[in-house]
Amino acid sequence: MHAKSDSEVTMSVEQSTPPRSPSRRPIYYVQSPSNHDAEKMSYGSSPMGSPGHPAYYHCSPIHHSRESFTSRYSASLKNPRNSAWKGLHRPDADSDSDPDDQNDTVSPGRNVRLYLCFLLLFVFLFTLFSLILWGASKSYKPHVLVKNIVFESFNIQAGVDNSGLATDMLSLNSTVRIHYRNPGTFFGVHVTSTPLELHYYQLKVASGQIEKFYQARKTHRTILTVVRGSQVSLYGGISALDVRGNHEKVAVPLNLTFVVRSRAYILGKLVKSKFYRRIRCSVTLRGSNLGKHSNLTESCVYH
């Protein structure tokens, strides 16, 4: 027997080896991120990629799909921004909502905050404006001046009080003249008063009431108020005075007291100012001055 050469051994091995069945499913490996290396490895690992099957390699749809897949995968590794793989990322829960829907859900709360801010700003400005007006009105206090008093009649006679006790009874009639002026430039005032009372020490002998009135801004008036007393029990208060026979000698010290209340509605009832004027005047009832004016401009104290 002759020794076989290497070439003959190789040919005999190839002839003895049965051909692989084309029905076996090929195995593909994708290991390199580069396009060139991926194609090279897939070609080398595929049994169909041998020169003995050129037509199957070029025409197989499986290889075409594999080549497209490896190309897209390699391109995605090189440029991940433009890759279709980014569509596989799980979207955030917030990104599913429409921006218009987000604006719709946020806008009501924002509108409420804006309305609240405008309301607070309006309240602040209105309060500031009201305080300015209220403070300015305090510098325009009404002027009250008691000018004079006229005693028209004065009489003391014996009588009986309600309990049947005998005592001296006094009757008095007088008129008080008061000058009132409102210096306010932007508001009028409503004027009332407490009763005007004439006292002989602690004994009230006469009283009268000013009728309430409205005084417009920057105007004035003269008020005439009747102060009278009828059948006032003296209980010995003026018993020492002998007034029955000679009225010319009568001199009874009296005090006239009252309070003038002025109320200004600057902005309706929301902003208003109150002014109080307490007045006390000392006057002497003289029988010789009945029917005459007794000047009180220098005899009154104003608080």
Side-chain angles (χ1 to χ4, degrees), residues 9-78:
V9 174
T10 304
M11 291 179 62
S12 63
V13 171
E14 291 178 354
Q15 292 177 0
S16 63
T17 303
R20 295 183 180 179
S21 177
S23 62
R24 178 178 293 181
R25 192 169 186 176
I27 300 175
Y28 299 93
Y29 297 93
V30 181
Q31 297 179 356
S32 175
S34 64
N35 188 16
H36 178 71
D37 295 339
E39 292 178 357
K40 183 177 179 180
M41 181 174 291
S42 64
Y43 178 80
S45 62
S46 175
M48 296 302 168
S50 61
H53 303 79
Y56 188 83
Y57 173 76
H58 292 288
C59 299
S60 175
I62 299 175
H63 177 76
H64 179 72
S65 175
R66 175 187 56 79
E67 185 179 5
S68 301
F69 173 77
T70 55
S71 300
R72 288 194 300 269
Y73 180 76
S74 301
S76 66
L77 294 176
K78 291 180 180 181

Side-chain angles (χ1 to χ4, degrees), residues 9-187:
V9 174
T10 304
M11 291 179 62
S12 63
V13 171
E14 291 178 354
Q15 292 177 0
S16 63
T17 303
R20 295 183 180 179
S21 177
S23 62
R24 178 178 293 181
R25 192 169 186 176
I27 300 175
Y28 299 93
Y29 297 93
V30 181
Q31 297 179 356
S32 175
S34 64
N35 188 16
H36 178 71
D37 295 339
E39 292 178 357
K40 183 177 179 180
M41 181 174 291
S42 64
Y43 178 80
S45 62
S46 175
M48 296 302 168
S50 61
H53 303 79
Y56 188 83
Y57 173 76
H58 292 288
C59 299
S60 175
I62 299 175
H63 177 76
H64 179 72
S65 175
R66 175 187 56 79
E67 185 179 5
S68 301
F69 173 77
T70 55
S71 300
R72 288 194 300 269
Y73 180 76
S74 301
S76 66
L77 294 176
K78 291 180 180 181
N79 191 3
R81 293 185 179 179
N82 298 327
S83 173
W85 293 97
K86 63 183 180 180
L88 299 177
H89 294 167
R90 183 178 180 181
D92 296 337
D94 297 339
S95 62
D96 294 338
S97 59
D98 192 0
D100 296 337
D101 296 339
Q102 293 180 359
N103 293 334
D104 294 340
T105 57
V106 174
S107 57
R110 183 181 179 185
N111 291 337
V112 170
R113 289 193 296 269
L114 289 176
Y115 294 151
L116 183 60
C117 291
F118 282 127
L119 178 62
L120 293 177
L121 180 61
F122 173 76
V123 172
F124 173 75
L125 293 178
F126 180 79
T127 304
L128 181 62
F129 180 70
S130 301
L131 288 175
I132 292 174
L133 290 179
W134 181 82
S137 66
K138 290 302 181 180
S139 61
Y140 295 97
K141 294 182 179 181
H143 297 166
V144 182
L145 177 65
V146 181
K147 301 185 71 174
N148 55 60
I149 185 173
V150 178
F151 291 101
E152 284 119 11
S153 63
F154 174 77
N155 186 29
I156 296 179
Q157 62 184 10
V160 179
D161 62 3
N162 295 330
S163 62
L165 180 63
T167 182
D168 293 333
M169 311 294 290
L170 181 143
S171 297
L172 175 66
N173 191 11
S174 63
T175 302
V176 180
R177 186 183 299 267
I178 303 170
H179 180 75
Y180 186 94
R181 183 169 68 91
N182 177 24
T185 58
F186 57 92
F187 60 88

